[in-house]
Amino acid sequence: MIILDGKKTSADLKSEIAESVKLIKSQGKKTPHLAAVLVGTDGASMTYVGAKVKACELVGFESTLIDLPEETTEEKLLQEIENLNNNDSIDGFIVQLPLPKHIDEQKVLMAVNPDKDVDGFHPTNVGKMTLDLPSFLPATPYGILELLERYEVETSGKHVVVIGRSHIVGRPMSILMSQKRKAGNATVTVAHSRTKNLKELTLQADIIVAALGIAEFLTGDMVKDDVVVIDVGITRVDDATKKRGYKLAGDVHFESVSKKASFITPVPGGVGPMTIAMLLKNTLLACENKE
Ligand code: GUN
């Protein structure tokens, strides 16, 4: 069993990006600049945005954090987005999700200039991705493709079962892996909360992408020998033995599934760090596109 080490792979990627930044700077070109908009004080979102800003510093990017209170109106948020769209020093930006309930998420994502949409969530970029045209790929699926490629996991002709149909992970993952690409050419099944006999499907799967958000959902009895398992879940589970009062659990019961797997991502240290690295990669691309 081989661990797909997202921590190490993302560190490699970040070194590569840092090299590109050095070169850009030495040529007197513009330093890539990522902005992140955070609305409210959700603990997980604050952690993620903090990690994104820190990663920018590490590779030599400029970063801007726009921290707005929970009660921010939709109008005010749309105004902030318009400012970022018009700000030439910003190459790309993200609006951290989820947003407070009084804000229409779709309206907000539609307001982002597709050329600065480094999350790849705007319908223009989703459409381009679906048609296999150059676009910003959403960071989590992009990170999974990168891990599969770098570990030379064979995907061509394999049966991939994606559990979860979210716009951020499950849906784009299923589209990308069915396309003609290096970590692609797979036969993909998308399973979700209404799927009947899920275990029958997972037992047939050569590769499973678990992205449903239920801690330790996928267990050893649900997978066949030599399966490749990608765990996208990251749920805070109460744990009194931990100083912070919780532990991070994936969607995969690692102990039982890893006994059968050929490759598996851990949580933490698997998909999570890759997501951040790919966001940086998209920002570099946004900066280069502008040049
Ligand atoms: N919330 C969970 N994942 C993501 C992501 O990839 N981007 C943004 N903006 N918000 C998220």
Side-chain angles (χ1 to χ4, degrees), residues 37 45 48-49 52 94-98 109 119 121 138-141 168-169 275 279:
V37 183
S45 289
Y48 297 146
V49 170
K52 289 170 185 178
I94 63 150
V95 181
Q96 187 65 27
L97 304 178
L109 297 181
D119 255 336
F121 292 166
T140 303
I168 296 181
V169 185
T275 297
L279 176 66

Side-chain angles (χ1 to χ4, degrees), residues 35-39 66 68 72-88 90-97 99 103-117 119 121-122:
V37 183
L38 174 66
V39 187
I66 297 172
L68 301 171
T72 302
T73 62
E74 186 178 284
E75 195 187 359
K76 165 87 170 104
L77 179 57
L78 290 171
Q79 187 55 58
E80 287 289 347
I81 290 172
E82 200 47 33
N83 293 345
L84 291 167
N85 284 339
N86 295 328
N87 183 342
D88 276 343
I90 306 274
D91 299 296
F93 66 96
I94 63 150
V95 181
Q96 187 65 27
L97 304 178
L99 289 167
I103 297 176
D104 181 345
E105 198 167 284
Q106 204 52 43
K107 209 165 160 183
V108 168
L109 297 181
M110 295 270 281
V112 177
N113 177 346
D115 294 335
K116 294 192 176 189
D117 171 37
D119 255 336
F121 292 166
H122 189 283

Side-chain angles (χ1 to χ4, degrees), residues 114-215:
D115 294 335
K116 294 192 176 189
D117 171 37
V118 285
D119 255 336
F121 292 166
H122 189 283
T124 294
N125 284 320
V126 178
K128 285 184 175 175
M129 174 199 73
T130 305
L131 294 170
D132 212 357
L133 297 169
S135 68
F136 296 116
L137 298 183
T140 303
Y142 192 10
I144 295 170
L145 294 181
E146 193 73 24
L147 258 186
L148 292 171
E149 280 184 25
R150 292 197 179 213
Y151 279 86
E152 297 182 341
V153 175
E154 182 60 78
T155 60
S156 181
K158 301 294 183 189
H159 183 196
V160 177
V161 173
V162 178
I163 313 174
R165 55 181 161 183
S166 74
H167 293 166
I168 296 181
V169 185
R171 178 81 51 203
M173 200 65 233
S174 66
I175 293 168
L176 291 163
M177 292 207 70
S178 71
Q179 289 176 337
K180 286 183 191 165
R181 58 172 65 245
K182 196 149 174 237
N185 292 307
T187 304
V188 183
T189 300
V190 185
H192 47 75
S193 53
R194 300 289 179 92
T195 297
K196 295 202 172 93
N197 304 325
L198 177 64
K199 187 173 169 181
E200 269 177 34
L201 289 171
T202 55
L203 278 169
Q204 291 171 32
D206 302 307
I207 301 172
I208 299 174
V209 180
L212 70 163
I214 300 178

Side-chain angles (χ1 to χ4, degrees), residues 272-286:
M274 292 302 292
T275 297
I276 296 184
M278 302 329 280
L279 176 66
L280 299 176
K281 191 143 187 177
N282 277 344
T283 306
L284 182 63
L285 184 68

